[in-house]
Amino acid sequence: MLILGLETSCDETGIALYDNKKDSLLAHSLFSQADQHAIYGGVVPELASRDHIRRIIPLVEEVTKNAKCSQRDIEGVAYTAGPGLFGSLLVGATFAKFFALGLNIPVLGINHMEGHLLAPMLEKDKPEFPFIALLVSGGHTLLVRVDGLGCYRILGESLDDAVGEAFDKVSRMLDLGYPGGPFVASLAEYGDPNRYRFPRPMLDRPGLDFSFSGLKTHVLGVIKKRRQEKPLDEKEKADIARGFEDAAIESLVVKCKRALKQEKIYTLVIGGGVGANRRLRSVLTLELENLGIKTFYPSPKFCTDNGAMIAFVGAHRISAGERDQLGSTPHAKWSLEDLKSLPSEQ
Ligand code: KG4
Ligand code: ZN
């Protein structure tokens, strides 16, 4: 089926057309509001929903044109129904329902985290079930056992800040840009890995949960102390960025290894914005290769929010007969464990 995917859960309007019969992403387009929110140091929900309203129709027109198809060829609409900012979700949901109603085609709300989880399946080299997924975004840090489409069991999660949120906060402490992850990561490239050794959160405890708030507070303490001595120069900032990045990555890598060992699984899938982090990708690949574990990542453009992952999940679920009620509302919170599983051939 040819499915239109709409992602509007936060500060990116992502639109895509995916055909599951051809296993092909026909076109995708994205507008990032990052510049509009940067001056506030974080997403302003009201500005986000207003901008989705402005972008959604031109982007749908652009995507259908790039895919060389007409809107009448579209056979179903999938939109992000949660988790996310309620106002932004409502824009996507309202547009999706009226678009589908106008064309008399099915419409379905998709879980954003399921989109991130299955985004590696947009690539040529696809993971096979079962696998462990590490989902690392601005709002979530999750380790999930995946036995099939919709068969998800959460093994561990962050007890406080998500890892992406910690990157964003450290970026703000160092007066870098927003969203913080890419700024912290590029500065860390020039940092000395031996200058700061920040605490590795939760590594000394059993289990698969994460915590990043203590690490963030520790980094803040060091920054304040150094600033009392003299203003931070670029070298000092780079060393702190590197120390933070290494600590955050080690926590993620150790917990991934623990989860794979516990579940006796040899495939790891990474999804979510922090999955675009080059050092995380190289450390994971290197350390897991030695253990005979294969890692799968989406290309960096499909790690961060995008419409393609929503169109992909929508195509599989709508083809299996799932439909929304017209009166359904988005869910600001929505666990992966509450999703319906699909038959394995889907
Ligand atoms: O998945 P995503 O685009 O949106 C959410 O669903 O939250 O993730 C955004 C998060 C932000 O916190 C951003 O700083 C982080 O992903 N991020 C990165 C990198 N690129 C994006 N963090 C570390 N390194 C990166 N290269
Ligand atoms: Zn996301």
Side-chain angles (χ1 to χ4, degrees):
M1 285 180 92
L2 180 61
I3 301 295
L4 176 70
L6 311 165
E7 158 58 38
T8 66
S9 68
C10 191
D11 60 346
E12 261 123 9
T13 319
I15 310 289
L17 276 167
Y18 182 84
D19 189 335
N20 60 329
K21 273 206 205 99
K22 296 183 186 151
D23 188 15
S24 167
L25 179 66
L26 273 65
H28 67 97
S29 222
L30 186 92
F31 181 83
S32 170
Q33 306 170 0
D35 290 348
Q36 293 169 53
H37 300 291
I39 44 170
Y40 303 100
V43 179
V44 181
E46 181 61 27
L47 291 183
S49 39
R50 285 189 205 185
D51 202 66
H52 287 306
I53 297 172
R54 274 194 287 272
R55 306 291 166 192
I56 205 160
I57 293 174
L59 283 177
V60 168
E61 285 169 349
E62 183 183 309
V63 160
T64 35
K65 189 171 157 225
N66 290 347
K68 297 187 177 55
C69 67
S70 134
Q71 291 183 3
R72 299 212 164 269
D73 298 328
I74 298 172
E75 297 171 284
V77 186
Y79 66 95
T80 304
L85 301 172
F86 194 76
S88 292
L89 293 168
L90 212 50
V91 175
T94 308
F95 177 85
K97 285 179 187 179
F98 281 95
F99 189 87
L101 201 65
L103 290 174
N104 196 23
I105 54 177
V107 61
L108 184 67
I110 302 298
N111 182 298
H112 180 80
M113 297 312 290
E114 186 178 37
H116 278 309
L117 195 152
L118 298 177
M121 297 208 170
L122 289 162
E123 307 299 320
K124 270 207 183 79
D125 187 16
K126 299 177 199 319
E128 280 178 22
F129 302 118
F131 56 76
I132 299 291
L134 171 70
L135 300 182
V136 275
S137 70
H140 296 81
T141 308
L142 293 172
L143 267 170
V144 188
R145 181 187 164 112
V146 181
D147 283 291
L149 230 146
C151 294
Y152 311 131
R153 184 156 59 83
I154 295 173
L155 304 172
E157 61 193 315
S158 180
L159 303 178
D160 40 57
D161 291 0
V163 63
E165 194 180 346
F167 267 94
D168 293 338
K169 287 179 178 168
V170 168
S171 177
R172 213 175 307 155
M173 292 173 202
L174 292 172
D175 301 320
L176 307 176
Y178 170 83
F183 289 97
V184 172
S186 34
L187 196 59
E189 295 281 322
Y190 306 100
D192 176 355
N194 301 313
R195 176 82 198 283
Y196 291 105
R197 191 179 158 81
F198 293 127
R200 272 62 177 151
M202 309 273 291
L203 287 197
D204 48 347
R205 287 195 230 162
L208 296 170
D209 287 332
F210 304 91
S211 162
F212 292 99
S213 145
L215 169 62
K216 174 200 72 188
T217 310
H218 194 94
V219 173
L220 181 63
V222 168
I223 292 174
K224 279 189 176 158
K225 202 162 158 235
R226 292 283 169 269
R227 278 199 173 126
Q228 278 168 1
E229 295 157 9
K230 60 180 172 71
L232 295 185
D233 59 19
E234 284 304 290
K235 176 73 181 95
E236 187 73 44
K237 286 187 183 182
D239 291 346
I240 293 172
R242 179 64 193 263
F244 162 76
E245 191 182 53
D246 282 351
I249 289 177
E250 195 179 325
S251 311
L252 296 173
V253 172
V254 169
K255 293 293 163 80
C256 284
K257 281 188 186 167
R258 243 184 235 177
L260 290 155
K261 192 172 169 200
Q262 174 187 302
E263 299 298 312
K264 299 184 180 61
I265 284 180
Y266 291 87
T267 307
L268 180 74
V269 161
I270 324 294
V274 185
N277 185 283
R278 293 228 313 263
R279 200 179 312 279
L280 173 67
R281 292 165 88 109
S282 66
V283 173
L284 268 176
T285 308
L286 199 77
E287 293 211 13
L288 296 182
E289 230 169 38
N290 294 336
L291 303 172
I293 292 159
K294 208 169 167 211
T295 44
F296 291 84
Y297 308 90
S299 63
K301 63 177 181 291
F302 296 141
C303 279
T304 44
D305 291 349
N306 65 85
M309 64 186 193
I310 303 302
F312 177 86
V313 178
H316 287 83
R317 288 194 172 274
I318 293 173
S319 296
E322 279 189 54
R323 305 286 184 264
D324 257 7
Q325 299 296 325
L326 202 59
S328 66
T329 47
H331 327 278
K333 287 191 186 325
W334 187 7
S335 171
L336 279 173
E337 288 184 340
D338 296 336
L339 296 178
K340 218 163 116 180
S341 61
L342 295 191
S344 53
E345 63 275 14
Q346 298 294 328

